[in-house]
Amino acid sequence: MGQQHRKETKRRRRSAYIKRQKEIAKNSLNAVPVQLATKVVKADAEPAKKAPAKKKAPAKAEA
Protein backbone atom coordinates (compact mmCIF):
# COMPACT_ATOMS: atom_id res chain seq x y z
CA MET A 1 0.00 0.00 0.00
CA GLY A 2 2.92 2.33 0.58
CA GLN A 3 3.96 2.20 -3.07
CA GLN A 4 0.46 3.10 -4.27
CA HIS A 5 0.46 6.07 -1.90
CA ARG A 6 3.78 7.29 -3.30
CA LYS A 7 2.48 6.97 -6.87
CA GLU A 8 -0.57 9.10 -6.07
CA THR A 9 1.57 11.69 -4.30
CA LYS A 10 3.98 11.90 -7.23
CA ARG A 11 1.09 12.25 -9.68
CA ARG A 12 -0.53 14.99 -7.58
CA ARG A 13 2.74 16.91 -7.20
CA ARG A 14 3.46 16.60 -10.92
CA SER A 15 0.03 17.92 -11.91
CA ALA A 16 0.43 20.83 -9.47
CA TYR A 17 3.84 21.61 -10.98
CA ILE A 18 2.45 21.59 -14.53
CA LYS A 19 -0.41 23.83 -13.45
CA ARG A 20 2.03 26.33 -11.92
CA GLN A 21 4.18 26.34 -15.06
CA LYS A 22 1.16 27.04 -17.26
CA GLU A 23 0.14 29.90 -14.98
CA ILE A 24 3.65 31.39 -15.08
CA ALA A 25 3.76 31.11 -18.88
CA LYS A 26 0.38 32.80 -19.20
CA ASN A 27 1.38 35.65 -16.90
CA SER A 28 4.73 36.17 -18.59
CA LEU A 29 3.10 36.83 -21.96
CA ASN A 30 1.76 40.15 -20.70
CA ALA A 31 4.89 41.12 -18.79
CA VAL A 32 7.52 43.43 -20.22
CA PRO A 33 10.76 41.55 -20.80
CA VAL A 34 13.57 42.74 -18.55
CA GLN A 35 17.12 42.65 -19.81
CA LEU A 36 19.67 42.16 -17.11
CA ALA A 37 23.26 43.33 -17.12
CA THR A 38 23.09 45.29 -20.35
CA LYS A 39 25.71 47.91 -21.00
CA VAL A 40 24.35 51.37 -21.74
CA VAL A 41 26.25 53.10 -24.53
CA LYS A 42 25.45 56.63 -25.66
CA ALA A 43 25.77 57.01 -29.40
CA ASP A 44 26.46 60.77 -29.41
CA ALA A 45 28.93 60.80 -26.52
CA GLU A 46 32.52 61.61 -27.38
CA PRO A 47 35.32 59.73 -25.65
CA ALA A 48 36.41 61.42 -22.46
CA LYS A 49 39.36 63.76 -22.97
CA LYS A 50 42.14 63.69 -20.44
CA ALA A 51 43.05 66.95 -18.76
CA PRO A 52 46.52 68.14 -19.75
CA ALA A 53 49.10 67.06 -17.21
CA LYS A 54 50.55 69.84 -15.12
CA LYS A 55 54.30 70.21 -15.28
CA LYS A 56 56.11 70.31 -11.99
CA ALA A 57 58.24 73.32 -11.27
CA PRO A 58 61.91 72.43 -10.99
CA ALA A 59 62.94 72.03 -7.37
CA LYS A 60 65.09 74.81 -6.09
CA ALA A 61 68.32 73.62 -4.58
CA GLU A 62 69.09 75.15 -1.21
CA ALA A 63 72.72 76.11 -0.73
Side-chain angles (χ1 to χ4, degrees), residues 12-63:
R12 185 171 56 246
R13 290 178 65 203
R14 180 71 182 161
S15 64
Y17 171 76
I18 292 172
K19 185 177 179 182
R20 283 196 311 271
Q21 294 303 313
K22 285 182 180 179
E23 188 71 23
I24 290 170
K26 186 177 79 171
N27 290 340
S28 67
L29 290 176
N30 300 330
V32 177
V34 177
Q35 294 181 349
L36 302 177
T38 56
K39 193 172 186 180
V40 178
V41 178
K42 294 182 181 178
D44 298 331
E46 294 180 11
K49 295 181 180 177
K50 291 187 177 180
K54 294 182 180 179
K55 295 183 180 179
K56 291 185 177 181
K60 295 182 179 177
E62 292 183 21

